[in-house]
Amino acid sequence: MREAAHALVSEHPVPTEAEAESAPGGPAPAGPRVPAQKVLRHSVRGQVLDALRAALVDGELVPGEIYSGPALGERFGVSATPVREAMQQLALEGAVECLPNRGFRVLTRTPRSLAELAEVRGLIEVPVMLRLARSVPVAAWEALRPAVLATAEAAAAGDLPAYAEADRAFHRAVLSLAGNGQLVQIAEELHRRAQWPLPGAPRVRRADLVADAAEHSALLEALIARDLPVVESLVREHFAGA
């Protein structure tokens, strides 16, 4: 497995969060391989959820495969409980489905579903960004340059999970200027779903990430300049290529 900020870094189980006892010495349960990551005792569920989300984006959780809570828990070095809780959250987000007495199956995406997500995101975000471009002062846009830089740095490193997180953070920061928390929450969910890869799709290249990050920079410049036609064009093209 490649090394990355969000990559899962160890194949061996580590002590659980409940006890400081040694992990079982037997082999991990059979099934699709998922890399393991040591997680701290505090906010275990949140850390497991973040790790699973990163694995989804990175294609390490394979669409159509079934994963059990105990097997994932052993690989993460935690009990099955926080894994199940995290997987239930992913089920609510539409990433997996719960299979009673079996585990969780990663749902399979289709090109059509991604196209539909791009269309819905455009219907929601384009009008908002055009309205913001007319009213938000330059100083507020300038404050978003660190968010743009974060996407560029993650892209340059070829770190897909980190880039996905930085990408959402930039869009979240832009939409937050509208002052509508419900809008931000809905757009965030749609954006997250759009980042899950298609089954069998080739791995996203670093050059693709760099090009995508450059669109953030161009969009910010267009927002600062209040160039509405360019803002609309960039956002629609950005969604179409997501």
Side-chain angles (χ1 to χ4, degrees):
M1 293 293 177
R2 67 185 185 85
E3 294 182 358
H6 290 271
L8 306 176
V9 297
S10 173
E11 294 287 350
H12 301 288
V14 297
T16 68
E17 77 285 1
E19 298 288 342
E21 300 172 351
S22 297
R33 291 183 62 201
V34 180
Q37 176 183 13
K38 183 177 180 180
V39 291
L40 303 178
R41 295 186 181 185
H42 65 279
S43 189
V44 173
R45 174 189 174 277
Q47 292 182 66
V48 171
L49 179 58
D50 287 344
L52 290 173
R53 283 172 170 167
L56 276 169
V57 171
D58 217 17
E60 295 177 12
L61 287 178
V62 181
E65 295 286 359
I66 299 174
Y67 298 87
S68 75
L72 289 172
E74 183 169 348
R75 294 179 186 278
F76 285 134
V78 301
S79 70
T81 298
V83 174
R84 292 194 182 102
E85 291 173 347
M87 279 294 197
Q88 287 166 0
Q89 176 60 37
L90 290 179
L92 292 175
E93 295 174 4
V96 304
E97 64 176 331
C98 301
L99 303 176
N101 302 319
R102 296 182 66 191
F104 305 88
R105 178 189 287 121
V106 179
L107 294 178
T108 300
R109 317 299 306 288
T110 65
R112 179 178 177 83
S113 67
L114 289 182
E116 290 174 349
L117 281 169
E119 181 180 3
V120 175
R121 291 183 68 200
L123 290 171
I124 293 175
E125 295 194 36
V126 169
V128 174
M129 289 197 185
L130 291 176
R131 175 164 58 86
L132 293 174
R134 297 185 185 99
S135 59
V136 172
V138 171
W141 293 126
E142 291 289 351
L144 299 188
R145 289 199 183 277
V148 172
L149 179 60
T151 65
E153 290 176 343
D159 189 336
L160 182 54
Y163 180 78
E165 185 174 343
D167 183 20
R168 291 196 311 275
F170 170 73
H171 284 265
R172 184 168 61 247
V174 171
L175 295 177
S176 294
L177 295 174
N180 186 329
Q182 295 298 318
L183 166 70
V184 174
Q185 181 177 346
I186 292 171
E188 173 92 358
E189 180 179 349
L190 293 171
H191 194 167
R192 191 185 298 280
R193 293 186 180 209
Q195 292 175 329
W196 301 331
L198 293 171
R203 180 170 179 79
V204 178
R205 300 175 303 168
R206 181 178 305 185
D208 296 327
L209 295 181
V210 170
D212 199 71
E215 293 177 1
H216 293 141
S217 180
L219 175 59
L220 183 59
E221 296 302 331
L223 289 167
I224 291 173
R226 297 192 174 182
D227 192 333
L228 303 189
V230 172
V231 168
E232 180 171 4
S233 176
L234 284 172
V235 174
R236 293 193 185 281
E237 291 176 4
H238 188 66
F239 290 168

